Amino acid sequence: QKEVEQDPGPLSVPEGAIVSLNCTYSNSAFQYFMWYRQYSRKGPELLMYTYSSGNKEDGRFTAQVDKSSKYISLFIRDSQPSDSATYLCAMTRISGNTPLVFGKGTRLSVIA
Amino acid sequence: AAGVIQSPRHLIKEKRETATLKCYPIPRHDTVYWYQQGPGQDPQFLISFYEKMQSDKGSIPDRFSAQQFSDYHSELNMSSLELGDSALYFCASRGGMNEKLFFGSGTQLSVL
């Protein structure tokens, strides 16, 4: 079993829809959680970063962490065609230089 | 703002040849990570360096080596290339105890 599980999709939604992306993880040592957006053949771009359970909001994006369930989510409100990309969850342990462990990524298409 | 710079953007090699990928981290970032991403796959951690010393090792083949130089740039050296080495290679950097990882645009390596 991979340390981080993420449904690869693809996920297709109409413009304006609310999108919910999710990851589960098995290692309780993970304390820092990130969501990256990756356009085709481009480098992953950091979208959201959080380290505590609860919600963190940034514009149309909300990151949610439930450490007791080992479950994280990214919500996208009022989705736009420009949101079409692959979304990767990533997480790391508490010590400073440990590498990120990624989910497989969910491919999202927002249809105009 | 300055980002992580990788070169070259594209590289075509034949089997058994060697390749060198370069990474220039964000200024004042002291930690560099190398990831390999196959088509439709999540990024796989290869190796990382902190203050010019190797800090973590992932699934890097013995045919590959890397180092971080005094100016903090890093090079990934790949020898005896195989068809399966064709992938996107990303470099990412991090500064201090900040867990946020910032990625370059990647080098697309094609082994023919």
Side-chain angles (χ1 to χ4, degrees):
Chain A
Q1 182 193 8
K2 278 179 67 89
E3 281 187 290
V4 180
E5 297 282 355
Q6 183 177 8
D7 186 341
L11 183 61
S12 186
V13 301
E15 183 176 359
I18 295 175
V19 177
S20 171
L21 305 167
N22 311 295
C23 287
T24 59
Y25 61 97
S26 57
N27 190 344
S28 57
F30 289 139
Q31 296 292 325
Y32 296 88
F33 306 92
M34 280 146 269
W35 284 94
Y36 284 83
R37 177 174 62 195
Q38 187 175 24
Y39 294 110
S40 181
R41 304 175 88 78
K42 301 287 187 186
E45 172 196 4
L46 181 62
L47 268 184
M48 299 288 286
Y49 163 81
T50 185
Y51 55 88
S52 56
S53 283
N55 294 352
K56 181 177 180 179
E57 195 172 314
D58 184 0
R60 296 185 296 111
F61 298 91
T62 299
Q64 189 176 78
V65 173
D66 182 346
K67 290 186 180 179
S68 62
S69 302
K70 298 192 184 71
Y71 187 90
I72 68 171
S73 299
L74 178 70
F75 298 97
I76 307 174
R77 289 183 299 282
D78 188 24
S79 55
Q80 304 295 309
S82 58
D83 294 328
S84 299
T86 295
Y87 290 80
L88 296 141
C89 64
M91 49 200 77
T92 187
R93 300 187 299 274
I94 198 163
S95 55
N97 293 314
T98 51
L100 289 181
V101 178
F102 284 87
K104 288 192 74 66
T106 300
R107 190 149 51 96
L108 171 68
S109 294
V110 181
I111 311 300
Chain B
V4 178
I5 306 296
Q6 288 188 249
S7 67
R9 285 285 284 123
H10 304 274
L11 193 56
I12 299 175
K13 291 285 184 179
E14 296 197 352
K15 284 197 310 184
R16 292 181 288 279
E17 285 191 320
T18 61
T20 297
L21 278 53
K22 296 186 179 182
C23 169
Y24 296 86
I26 291 171
R28 291 180 295 281
H29 279 195
D30 49 18
T31 308
V32 166
Y33 302 79
W34 285 97
Y35 282 83
Q36 177 193 59
Q37 188 177 30
Q41 300 297 313
D42 53 305
Q44 293 295 312
F45 170 66
L46 293 177
I47 194 167
S48 62
F49 294 87
Y50 168 66
E51 283 290 345
K52 293 151 278 184
M53 299 287 290
Q54 181 182 309
S55 59
D56 257 298
K57 196 170 182 180
S59 53
I60 186 169
D62 292 340
R63 299 177 289 108
F64 295 4
S65 65
Q67 57 182 321
Q68 186 179 32
F69 295 86
S70 57
D71 63 351
Y72 294 100
H73 95 272
S74 178
E75 294 184 4
L76 178 65
N77 299 294
M78 311 160 74
S79 62
S80 302
L81 286 169
E82 301 173 357
L83 296 178
D85 296 329
S86 297
L88 263 173
Y89 290 83
F90 290 110
C91 169
S93 74
R94 180 155 77 186
M97 294 301 287
N98 191 330
E99 283 69 26
K100 295 180 188 178
L101 214 59
F102 295 92
F103 283 80
S105 298
T107 294
Q108 175 67 59
L109 172 67
S110 299
V111 182
L112 307 178

mmCIF file of all heavy atoms in Angstrom, chain A residues 1-8 21-28 30 33-35 64-74 88-91 101-106:
data_model
loop_
_atom_site.group_PDB
_atom_site.id
_atom_site.type_symbol
_atom_site.label_atom_id
_atom_site.label_comp_id
_atom_site.label_asym_id
_atom_site.label_seq_id
_atom_site.Cartn_x
_atom_site.Cartn_y
_atom_site.Cartn_z
ATOM 1 N N GLN A 1 0.850 -1.197 0.000
ATOM 2 C CA GLN A 1 0.000 0.000 0.000
ATOM 3 C C GLN A 1 0.884 1.246 0.000
ATOM 4 O O GLN A 1 1.843 1.343 0.761
ATOM 5 C CB GLN A 1 -0.901 -0.006 1.236
ATOM 6 C CG GLN A 1 -1.855 1.163 1.303
ATOM 7 C CD GLN A 1 -2.506 1.323 2.673
ATOM 8 O OE1 GLN A 1 -2.122 0.646 3.609
ATOM 9 N NE2 GLN A 1 -3.466 2.211 2.776
ATOM 10 N N LYS A 2 0.568 2.182 -0.903
ATOM 11 C CA LYS A 2 1.324 3.423 -0.924
ATOM 12 C C LYS A 2 1.022 4.226 0.337
ATOM 13 O O LYS A 2 -0.054 4.140 0.909
ATOM 14 C CB LYS A 2 0.925 4.246 -2.157
ATOM 15 C CG LYS A 2 1.653 3.813 -3.432
ATOM 16 C CD LYS A 2 1.195 4.661 -4.595
ATOM 17 C CE LYS A 2 1.612 6.101 -4.479
ATOM 18 N NZ LYS A 2 2.934 6.375 -5.058
ATOM 19 N N GLU A 3 2.002 5.045 0.719
ATOM 20 C CA GLU A 3 1.813 5.891 1.905
ATOM 21 C C GLU A 3 0.707 6.908 1.679
ATOM 22 O O GLU A 3 0.030 7.318 2.634
ATOM 23 C CB GLU A 3 3.115 6.631 2.222
ATOM 24 C CG GLU A 3 4.156 5.777 2.937
ATOM 25 C CD GLU A 3 5.336 6.619 3.374
ATOM 26 O OE1 GLU A 3 6.095 7.063 2.496
ATOM 27 O OE2 GLU A 3 5.489 6.831 4.587
ATOM 28 N N VAL A 4 0.550 7.373 0.445
ATOM 29 C CA VAL A 4 -0.443 8.387 0.118
ATOM 30 C C VAL A 4 -1.294 7.864 -1.036
ATOM 31 O O VAL A 4 -0.763 7.497 -2.078
ATOM 32 C CB VAL A 4 0.220 9.717 -0.291
ATOM 33 C CG1 VAL A 4 -0.835 10.762 -0.615
ATOM 34 C CG2 VAL A 4 1.143 10.215 0.817
ATOM 35 N N GLU A 5 -2.596 7.843 -0.838
ATOM 36 C CA GLU A 5 -3.515 7.358 -1.863
ATOM 37 C C GLU A 5 -4.338 8.531 -2.392
ATOM 38 O O GLU A 5 -4.872 9.340 -1.612
ATOM 39 C CB GLU A 5 -4.464 6.297 -1.286
ATOM 40 C CG GLU A 5 -3.762 5.037 -0.781
ATOM 41 C CD GLU A 5 -3.354 4.106 -1.893
ATOM 42 O OE1 GLU A 5 -3.686 4.376 -3.077
ATOM 43 O OE2 GLU A 5 -2.702 3.080 -1.609
ATOM 44 N N GLN A 6 -4.443 8.593 -3.716
ATOM 45 C CA GLN A 6 -5.218 9.669 -4.341
ATOM 46 C C GLN A 6 -5.877 9.098 -5.590
ATOM 47 O O GLN A 6 -5.225 8.439 -6.399
ATOM 48 C CB GLN A 6 -4.295 10.844 -4.712
ATOM 49 C CG GLN A 6 -5.018 12.034 -5.304
ATOM 50 C CD GLN A 6 -4.102 13.217 -5.602
ATOM 51 O OE1 GLN A 6 -2.884 13.127 -5.519
ATOM 52 N NE2 GLN A 6 -4.693 14.337 -5.971
ATOM 53 N N ASP A 7 -7.156 9.327 -5.724
ATOM 54 C CA ASP A 7 -7.895 8.853 -6.892
ATOM 55 C C ASP A 7 -7.399 9.606 -8.123
ATOM 56 O O ASP A 7 -7.485 10.830 -8.167
ATOM 57 C CB ASP A 7 -9.393 9.100 -6.691
ATOM 58 C CG ASP A 7 -10.231 8.488 -7.811
ATOM 59 O OD1 ASP A 7 -9.686 8.200 -8.896
ATOM 60 O OD2 ASP A 7 -11.433 8.319 -7.596
ATOM 61 N N PRO A 8 -6.884 8.893 -9.134
ATOM 62 C CA PRO A 8 -6.308 9.582 -10.303
ATOM 63 C C PRO A 8 -7.317 10.213 -11.239
ATOM 64 O O PRO A 8 -6.955 10.978 -12.133
ATOM 65 C CB PRO A 8 -5.527 8.478 -10.997
ATOM 66 C CG PRO A 8 -6.226 7.227 -10.608
ATOM 67 C CD PRO A 8 -6.740 7.445 -9.227
ATOM 68 N N LEU A 21 -11.352 17.368 -4.160
ATOM 69 C CA LEU A 21 -10.246 16.449 -4.409
ATOM 70 C C LEU A 21 -9.763 15.922 -3.057
ATOM 71 O O LEU A 21 -9.681 16.678 -2.090
ATOM 72 C CB LEU A 21 -9.104 17.175 -5.133
ATOM 73 C CG LEU A 21 -9.502 17.878 -6.429
ATOM 74 C CD1 LEU A 21 -8.407 18.826 -6.890
ATOM 75 C CD2 LEU A 21 -9.797 16.853 -7.521
ATOM 76 N N ASN A 22 -9.417 14.637 -3.006
ATOM 77 C CA ASN A 22 -9.124 14.031 -1.711
ATOM 78 C C ASN A 22 -7.890 13.138 -1.742
ATOM 79 O O ASN A 22 -7.561 12.560 -2.780
ATOM 80 C CB ASN A 22 -10.319 13.174 -1.268
ATOM 81 C CG ASN A 22 -11.626 13.927 -1.390
ATOM 82 O OD1 ASN A 22 -11.861 14.910 -0.715
ATOM 83 N ND2 ASN A 22 -12.478 13.476 -2.308
ATOM 84 N N CYS A 23 -7.254 13.033 -0.591
ATOM 85 C CA CYS A 23 -6.153 12.093 -0.402
ATOM 86 C C CYS A 23 -6.280 11.471 0.978
ATOM 87 O O CYS A 23 -6.713 12.128 1.926
ATOM 88 C CB CYS A 23 -4.794 12.794 -0.492
ATOM 89 S SG CYS A 23 -4.328 13.280 -2.158
ATOM 90 N N THR A 24 -5.873 10.217 1.068
ATOM 91 C CA THR A 24 -5.736 9.578 2.369
ATOM 92 C C THR A 24 -4.282 9.166 2.542
ATOM 93 O O THR A 24 -3.554 8.985 1.552
ATOM 94 C CB THR A 24 -6.635 8.341 2.498
ATOM 95 O OG1 THR A 24 -6.290 7.403 1.459
ATOM 96 C CG2 THR A 24 -8.102 8.708 2.376
ATOM 97 N N TYR A 25 -3.875 9.054 3.784
ATOM 98 C CA TYR A 25 -2.495 8.663 4.035
ATOM 99 C C TYR A 25 -2.440 7.709 5.216
ATOM 100 O O TYR A 25 -3.358 7.643 6.030
ATOM 101 C CB TYR A 25 -1.606 9.894 4.266
ATOM 102 C CG TYR A 25 -1.978 10.754 5.450
ATOM 103 C CD1 TYR A 25 -1.337 10.605 6.681
ATOM 104 C CD2 TYR A 25 -2.962 11.736 5.343
ATOM 105 C CE1 TYR A 25 -1.660 11.408 7.767
ATOM 106 C CE2 TYR A 25 -3.295 12.532 6.431
ATOM 107 C CZ TYR A 25 -2.643 12.375 7.627
ATOM 108 O OH TYR A 25 -2.970 13.162 8.703
ATOM 109 N N SER A 26 -1.355 6.955 5.279
ATOM 110 C CA SER A 26 -1.263 5.921 6.310
ATOM 111 C C SER A 26 -0.236 6.252 7.387
ATOM 112 O O SER A 26 -0.299 5.688 8.480
ATOM 113 C CB SER A 26 -0.906 4.574 5.666
ATOM 114 O OG SER A 26 0.310 4.686 4.931
ATOM 115 N N ASN A 27 0.688 7.151 7.107
ATOM 116 C CA ASN A 27 1.765 7.446 8.032
ATOM 117 C C ASN A 27 1.380 8.603 8.948
ATOM 118 O O ASN A 27 1.304 9.748 8.516
ATOM 119 C CB ASN A 27 3.037 7.780 7.240
ATOM 120 C CG ASN A 27 4.272 7.878 8.114
ATOM 121 O OD1 ASN A 27 4.178 7.986 9.332
ATOM 122 N ND2 ASN A 27 5.429 7.844 7.497
ATOM 123 N N SER A 28 1.153 8.310 10.217
ATOM 124 C CA SER A 28 0.725 9.351 11.153
ATOM 125 C C SER A 28 1.839 10.360 11.441
ATOM 126 O O SER A 28 1.609 11.381 12.079
ATOM 127 C CB SER A 28 0.229 8.732 12.458
ATOM 128 O OG SER A 28 1.237 7.930 13.031
ATOM 129 N N PHE A 30 3.214 12.148 9.187
ATOM 130 C CA PHE A 30 3.039 13.301 8.292
ATOM 131 C C PHE A 30 2.356 14.440 9.050
ATOM 132 O O PHE A 30 1.321 14.240 9.687
ATOM 133 C CB PHE A 30 2.204 12.915 7.070
ATOM 134 C CG PHE A 30 2.929 12.027 6.102
ATOM 135 C CD1 PHE A 30 2.278 10.970 5.499
ATOM 136 C CD2 PHE A 30 4.252 12.248 5.773
ATOM 137 C CE1 PHE A 30 2.927 10.133 4.606
ATOM 138 C CE2 PHE A 30 4.922 11.422 4.882
ATOM 139 C CZ PHE A 30 4.248 10.358 4.302
ATOM 140 N N PHE A 33 1.102 19.420 4.992
ATOM 141 C CA PHE A 33 0.319 18.976 3.854
ATOM 142 C C PHE A 33 0.255 20.068 2.814
ATOM 143 O O PHE A 33 0.037 21.243 3.140
ATOM 144 C CB PHE A 33 -1.094 18.593 4.313
ATOM 145 C CG PHE A 33 -1.082 17.580 5.422
ATOM 146 C CD1 PHE A 33 -1.087 17.996 6.752
ATOM 147 C CD2 PHE A 33 -1.031 16.229 5.141
ATOM 148 C CE1 PHE A 33 -1.038 17.057 7.783
ATOM 149 C CE2 PHE A 33 -0.993 15.287 6.163
ATOM 150 C CZ PHE A 33 -0.996 15.699 7.480
ATOM 151 N N MET A 34 0.425 19.675 1.577
ATOM 152 C CA MET A 34 0.432 20.632 0.478
ATOM 153 C C MET A 34 -0.399 20.137 -0.687
ATOM 154 O O MET A 34 -0.583 18.917 -0.860
ATOM 155 C CB MET A 34 1.880 20.860 -0.008
ATOM 156 C CG MET A 34 2.656 21.813 0.853
ATOM 157 S SD MET A 34 4.414 21.414 0.973
ATOM 158 C CE MET A 34 4.422 20.365 2.427
ATOM 159 N N TRP A 35 -0.907 21.054 -1.455
ATOM 160 C CA TRP A 35 -1.543 20.740 -2.720
ATOM 161 C C TRP A 35 -0.794 21.473 -3.821
ATOM 162 O O TRP A 35 -0.512 22.670 -3.708
ATOM 163 C CB TRP A 35 -3.015 21.175 -2.719
ATOM 164 C CG TRP A 35 -3.886 20.265 -1.929
ATOM 165 C CD1 TRP A 35 -4.252 20.406 -0.616
ATOM 166 C CD2 TRP A 35 -4.495 19.053 -2.381
ATOM 167 N NE1 TRP A 35 -5.049 19.355 -0.236
ATOM 168 C CE2 TRP A 35 -5.226 18.514 -1.295
ATOM 169 C CE3 TRP A 35 -4.512 18.363 -3.597
ATOM 170 C CZ2 TRP A 35 -5.951 17.336 -1.389
ATOM 171 C CZ3 TRP A 35 -5.232 17.186 -3.695
ATOM 172 C CH2 TRP A 35 -5.946 16.676 -2.602
ATOM 173 N N GLN A 64 -8.482 21.320 3.480
ATOM 174 C CA GLN A 64 -9.034 20.763 4.710
ATOM 175 C C GLN A 64 -8.178 19.583 5.132
ATOM 176 O O GLN A 64 -7.827 18.736 4.309
ATOM 177 C CB GLN A 64 -10.474 20.320 4.459
ATOM 178 C CG GLN A 64 -11.261 19.917 5.677
ATOM 179 C CD GLN A 64 -12.699 19.587 5.298
ATOM 180 O OE1 GLN A 64 -12.991 18.512 4.787
ATOM 181 N NE2 GLN A 64 -13.594 20.532 5.534
ATOM 182 N N VAL A 65 -7.855 19.541 6.419
ATOM 183 C CA VAL A 65 -7.035 18.439 6.948
ATOM 184 C C VAL A 65 -7.758 17.827 8.132
ATOM 185 O O VAL A 65 -8.213 18.546 9.027
ATOM 186 C CB VAL A 65 -5.645 18.949 7.388
ATOM 187 C CG1 VAL A 65 -4.871 17.831 8.094
ATOM 188 C CG2 VAL A 65 -4.856 19.458 6.193
ATOM 189 N N ASP A 66 -7.853 16.517 8.146
ATOM 190 C CA ASP A 66 -8.398 15.781 9.291
ATOM 191 C C ASP A 66 -7.344 14.756 9.681
ATOM 192 O O ASP A 66 -7.299 13.658 9.123
ATOM 193 C CB ASP A 66 -9.719 15.114 8.911
ATOM 194 C CG ASP A 66 -10.353 14.378 10.082
ATOM 195 O OD1 ASP A 66 -9.663 14.161 11.096
ATOM 196 O OD2 ASP A 66 -11.528 14.012 9.979
ATOM 197 N N LYS A 67 -6.507 15.110 10.639
ATOM 198 C CA LYS A 67 -5.413 14.218 11.018
ATOM 199 C C LYS A 67 -5.924 12.963 11.703
ATOM 200 O O LYS A 67 -5.310 11.905 11.607
ATOM 201 C CB LYS A 67 -4.416 14.949 11.914
ATOM 202 C CG LYS A 67 -3.610 16.012 11.177
ATOM 203 C CD LYS A 67 -2.536 16.620 12.076
ATOM 204 C CE LYS A 67 -1.738 17.673 11.339
ATOM 205 N NZ LYS A 67 -0.708 18.288 12.209
ATOM 206 N N SER A 68 -7.037 13.051 12.400
ATOM 207 C CA SER A 68 -7.545 11.861 13.103
ATOM 208 C C SER A 68 -7.982 10.796 12.106
ATOM 209 O O SER A 68 -7.847 9.601 12.358
ATOM 210 C CB SER A 68 -8.699 12.241 14.031
ATOM 211 O OG SER A 68 -9.780 12.776 13.285
ATOM 212 N N SER A 69 -8.468 11.227 10.945
ATOM 213 C CA SER A 69 -8.889 10.289 9.904
ATOM 214 C C SER A 69 -7.819 10.086 8.846
ATOM 215 O O SER A 69 -8.017 9.285 7.922
ATOM 216 C CB SER A 69 -10.173 10.773 9.237
ATOM 217 O OG SER A 69 -11.204 10.932 10.176
ATOM 218 N N LYS A 70 -6.722 10.836 8.947
ATOM 219 C CA LYS A 70 -5.650 10.783 7.946
ATOM 220 C C LYS A 70 -6.225 11.043 6.547
ATOM 221 O O LYS A 70 -6.043 10.247 5.614
ATOM 222 C CB LYS A 70 -4.908 9.443 8.000
ATOM 223 C CG LYS A 70 -4.219 9.166 9.320
ATOM 224 C CD LYS A 70 -3.278 7.980 9.182
ATOM 225 C CE LYS A 70 -2.648 7.631 10.499
ATOM 226 N NZ LYS A 70 -3.593 7.030 11.457
ATOM 227 N N TYR A 71 -6.869 12.201 6.439
ATOM 228 C CA TYR A 71 -7.638 12.510 5.232
ATOM 229 C C TYR A 71 -7.484 13.999 4.959
ATOM 230 O O TYR A 71 -7.660 14.822 5.865
ATOM 231 C CB TYR A 71 -9.105 12.163 5.504
ATOM 232 C CG TYR A 71 -10.046 12.255 4.344
ATOM 233 C CD1 TYR A 71 -10.269 11.169 3.518
ATOM 234 C CD2 TYR A 71 -10.755 13.429 4.089
ATOM 235 C CE1 TYR A 71 -11.156 11.238 2.461
ATOM 236 C CE2 TYR A 71 -11.641 13.513 3.034
ATOM 237 C CZ TYR A 71 -11.842 12.413 2.229
ATOM 238 O OH TYR A 71 -12.732 12.486 1.184
ATOM 239 N N ILE A 72 -7.115 14.346 3.719
ATOM 240 C CA ILE A 72 -7.042 15.753 3.363
ATOM 241 C C ILE A 72 -7.853 16.002 2.098
ATOM 242 O O ILE A 72 -8.023 15.090 1.273
ATOM 243 C CB ILE A 72 -5.589 16.250 3.188
ATOM 244 C CG1 ILE A 72 -4.920 15.626 1.957
ATOM 245 C CG2 ILE A 72 -4.769 15.948 4.438
ATOM 246 C CD1 ILE A 72 -3.573 16.262 1.626
ATOM 247 N N SER A 73 -8.339 17.222 1.970
ATOM 248 C CA SER A 73 -9.165 17.584 0.828
ATOM 249 C C SER A 73 -8.773 18.953 0.302
ATOM 250 O O SER A 73 -8.266 19.799 1.060
ATOM 251 C CB SER A 73 -10.642 17.624 1.221
ATOM 252 O OG SER A 73 -11.081 16.375 1.679
ATOM 253 N N LEU A 74 -9.034 19.151 -0.979
ATOM 254 C CA LEU A 74 -8.927 20.468 -1.604
ATOM 255 C C LEU A 74 -10.252 20.749 -2.284
ATOM 256 O O LEU A 74 -10.719 19.929 -3.091
ATOM 257 C CB LEU A 74 -7.790 20.519 -2.624
ATOM 258 C CG LEU A 74 -7.645 21.846 -3.368
ATOM 259 C CD1 LEU A 74 -7.126 22.928 -2.417
ATOM 260 C CD2 LEU A 74 -6.716 21.718 -4.579
ATOM 261 N N LEU A 88 -1.973 17.439 -7.310
ATOM 262 C CA LEU A 88 -1.214 16.468 -6.520
ATOM 263 C C LEU A 88 -1.239 16.868 -5.053
ATOM 264 O O LEU A 88 -0.918 18.009 -4.716
ATOM 265 C CB LEU A 88 0.251 16.446 -6.977
ATOM 266 C CG LEU A 88 0.515 15.987 -8.400
ATOM 267 C CD1 LEU A 88 1.608 16.833 -9.031
ATOM 268 C CD2 LEU A 88 0.933 14.537 -8.432
ATOM 269 N N CYS A 89 -1.616 15.935 -4.192
ATOM 270 C CA CYS A 89 -1.425 16.185 -2.773
ATOM 271 C C CYS A 89 -0.007 15.739 -2.414
ATOM 272 O O CYS A 89 0.567 14.860 -3.068
ATOM 273 C CB CYS A 89 -2.460 15.460 -1.920
ATOM 274 S SG CYS A 89 -2.380 13.657 -2.001
ATOM 275 N N ALA A 90 0.557 16.375 -1.411
ATOM 276 C CA ALA A 90 1.911 16.036 -0.983
ATOM 277 C C ALA A 90 2.015 16.267 0.513
ATOM 278 O O ALA A 90 1.344 17.138 1.066
ATOM 279 C CB ALA A 90 2.948 16.872 -1.727
ATOM 280 N N MET A 91 2.865 15.520 1.159
ATOM 281 C CA MET A 91 2.995 15.662 2.607
ATOM 282 C C MET A 91 4.383 15.247 3.051
ATOM 283 O O MET A 91 5.118 14.554 2.325
ATOM 284 C CB MET A 91 1.918 14.861 3.339
ATOM 285 C CG MET A 91 1.753 13.454 2.890
ATOM 286 S SD MET A 91 0.119 12.788 3.373
ATOM 287 C CE MET A 91 -0.974 13.531 2.158
ATOM 288 N N VAL A 101 6.273 13.371 -0.006
ATOM 289 C CA VAL A 101 5.693 12.172 -0.597
ATOM 290 C C VAL A 101 4.414 12.612 -1.297
ATOM 291 O O VAL A 101 3.576 13.284 -0.692
ATOM 292 C CB VAL A 101 5.385 11.104 0.473
ATOM 293 C CG1 VAL A 101 4.743 9.882 -0.183
ATOM 294 C CG2 VAL A 101 6.665 10.705 1.193
ATOM 295 N N PHE A 102 4.285 12.237 -2.561
ATOM 296 C CA PHE A 102 3.170 12.697 -3.373
ATOM 297 C C PHE A 102 2.106 11.632 -3.545
ATOM 298 O O PHE A 102 2.406 10.427 -3.547
ATOM 299 C CB PHE A 102 3.662 13.084 -4.767
ATOM 300 C CG PHE A 102 4.375 14.402 -4.836
ATOM 301 C CD1 PHE A 102 5.733 14.481 -4.600
ATOM 302 C CD2 PHE A 102 3.677 15.550 -5.145
ATOM 303 C CE1 PHE A 102 6.395 15.698 -4.657
ATOM 304 C CE2 PHE A 102 4.327 16.779 -5.211
ATOM 305 C CZ PHE A 102 5.682 16.848 -4.967
ATOM 306 N N GLY A 103 0.864 12.079 -3.721
ATOM 307 C CA GLY A 103 -0.169 11.212 -4.248
ATOM 308 C C GLY A 103 0.008 11.103 -5.754
ATOM 309 O O GLY A 103 0.848 11.804 -6.347
ATOM 310 N N LYS A 104 -0.768 10.244 -6.396
ATOM 311 C CA LYS A 104 -0.604 10.018 -7.837
ATOM 312 C C LYS A 104 -1.135 11.181 -8.672
ATOM 313 O O LYS A 104 -0.832 11.279 -9.847
ATOM 314 C CB LYS A 104 -1.309 8.732 -8.254
ATOM 315 C CG LYS A 104 -0.604 7.476 -7.778
ATOM 316 C CD LYS A 104 -1.152 6.248 -8.446
ATOM 317 C CE LYS A 104 -0.686 6.144 -9.889
ATOM 318 N NZ LYS A 104 0.763 5.931 -9.991
ATOM 319 N N GLY A 105 -1.932 12.058 -8.034
ATOM 320 C CA GLY A 105 -2.480 13.182 -8.777
ATOM 321 C C GLY A 105 -3.854 12.860 -9.341
ATOM 322 O O GLY A 105 -4.108 11.746 -9.780
ATOM 323 N N THR A 106 -4.735 13.851 -9.324
ATOM 324 C CA THR A 106 -6.071 13.734 -9.925
ATOM 325 C C THR A 106 -6.143 14.685 -11.111
ATOM 326 O O THR A 106 -5.888 15.877 -10.962
ATOM 327 C CB THR A 106 -7.185 14.102 -8.926
ATOM 328 O OG1 THR A 106 -7.121 13.226 -7.798
ATOM 329 C CG2 THR A 106 -8.550 13.991 -9.586
#
